Amino acid sequence: MLIHSNWTLSVSEPTILPRSYTLELVKQLHQQLGLEIGTESIPSVSHSGIMGLYSVSREFLTFHPEEFYKLSLCGLQDVAAKAISHFNLSESLEFLGAKFNVINREDEITSYEELYTTLVANEPEPIKRFDLQFITPTTFAHGGANLPLPIPSLMFRSWLERWNHFAPVYLGNDELIIYLSNAILLKNHKIQTRSWQLHKGYVNGFVGNVTLQVFNRADPLLANVANLLVQYARFAGTGMKTRLGMGQTRILL
């Protein structure tokens, strides 16, 4: 089971949170979900933080009553997905003295088998262009450092690692990454770097739009595998620290 849940939130008055609020929010949400945090080598939950327009002043964020905000939670395996599907925020989300009103909830529910059957096993016409939007700062662990750049091989490796860890259908190893790296190029992008504050400092990542182009010579089956991994990014996120709000990825039509 896979689930992507989105809540629409608002505040009744100007609301201030520290920029490092994410860890406290993640801890509270995991506790309410009945899930442990920090015990998994690959996190089974990805989380967005509270997304929307807010004012930044030094170490604090101010959320405004005239705006709407989004919070998303994704479960990548059965236990986490079922916990999220049954999770009820009731009428409000309260933490660190802040109160967000819950306006709406939308769920997208599928499974690994359904995604694989629809996008690969049924042999659809291959998609040759992927337009992605990285909503929260995205970065990759590379060579002992963080690399905040949309490099195709690092994106596909991130998605493949999660897929192979949780899915019942194994897709491949480094040979698949090498093939996709030679068959898909970064066609264009409009990105900027942005810092994401965690409990003990900042991590730099990129946000913005990225277009990937599949070469015409690409094997149709492997082009469909690439599309499968891109679509999976909606649930898994991309890169590092997706459990703490980084790497939220949207597929643009």
Side-chain angles (χ1 to χ4, degrees):
M1 180 179 179
L2 282 164
I3 188 169
H4 186 154
S5 295
N6 278 299
W7 286 265
T8 302
L9 309 173
S10 68
V11 292
S12 300
E13 59 185 11
T15 300
I16 298 174
L17 284 173
R19 291 184 67 180
S20 58
Y21 76 86
T22 310
L23 181 57
E24 186 61 35
L25 176 57
V26 169
K27 286 180 178 179
Q28 178 173 314
L29 290 173
H30 274 70
Q31 183 178 26
Q32 291 176 287
L33 289 165
L35 301 174
E36 294 186 11
I37 186 171
T39 60
E40 300 171 307
S41 59
I42 297 178
S44 58
V45 174
S46 66
H47 159 257
S48 68
I50 298 174
M51 301 181 293
L53 294 176
Y54 46 75
S55 303
V56 181
S57 177
R58 295 190 179 183
E59 299 303 310
F60 296 94
L61 309 174
T62 301
F63 299 83
H64 304 287
E66 65 272 16
E67 301 289 344
F68 290 104
Y69 298 94
K70 291 284 188 181
L71 169 70
S72 75
L73 283 171
C74 296
L76 305 185
Q77 45 93 303
D78 282 348
V79 172
K82 288 176 181 176
I84 292 171
S85 70
H86 296 142
F87 183 44
N88 183 9
L89 272 180
S90 181
E91 296 181 353
S92 64
L93 169 65
E94 299 182 41
F95 69 103
L96 294 177
K99 180 178 180 180
F100 289 83
N101 306 308
V102 176
I103 306 300
N104 188 35
R105 173 179 180 169
E106 296 177 342
D107 292 328
E108 179 184 359
I109 299 175
T110 185
S111 67
Y112 287 94
E113 294 87 348
E114 182 177 353
L115 285 177
Y116 181 82
T117 299
T118 302
L119 300 176
V120 178
N122 287 347
E123 299 184 3
E125 185 70 22
I127 294 174
K128 296 299 181 70
R129 171 179 170 139
F130 308 121
D131 293 303
L132 301 95
Q133 183 178 42
F134 295 90
I135 307 167
T136 61
T138 303
T139 190
F140 304 94
H142 184 69
N146 295 339
L147 186 60
L149 290 172
I151 297 174
S153 62
L154 297 181
M155 291 190 284
F156 280 105
R157 185 178 300 279
S158 166
W159 304 327
L160 180 64
E161 179 184 51
R162 289 166 171 81
W163 177 279
N164 283 340
H165 186 76
F166 293 115
V169 182
Y170 180 76
L171 290 182
N173 53 22
D174 287 347
E175 291 182 358
L176 175 60
I177 298 300
I178 292 171
Y179 181 88
L180 295 179
S181 299
N182 292 323
I184 299 173
L185 58 82
L186 176 62
K187 184 174 183 180
N188 56 58
H189 66 76
K190 186 177 182 181
I191 61 171
Q192 59 183 343
T193 55
R194 184 177 298 168
S195 63
W196 188 258
Q197 184 164 351
L198 302 174
H199 181 59
K200 296 182 178 179
Y202 295 86
V203 178
N204 283 331
F206 69 88
V207 295
N209 294 351
V210 171
T211 297
L212 301 177
Q213 183 70 46
V214 181
F215 289 122
N216 288 329
R217 58 176 168 77
D219 180 271
L221 173 62
L222 295 180
N224 283 336
V225 170
N227 181 40
L228 172 65
L229 291 172
V230 168
Q231 298 302 322
Y232 181 56
R234 293 180 290 126
F235 300 90
T238 305
M240 295 173 52
K241 302 188 183 300
T242 52
R243 178 174 50 206
L244 298 178
M246 299 188 71
Q248 285 289 299
T249 307
R250 180 180 297 157
I251 313 304
L252 303 177
L253 300 178

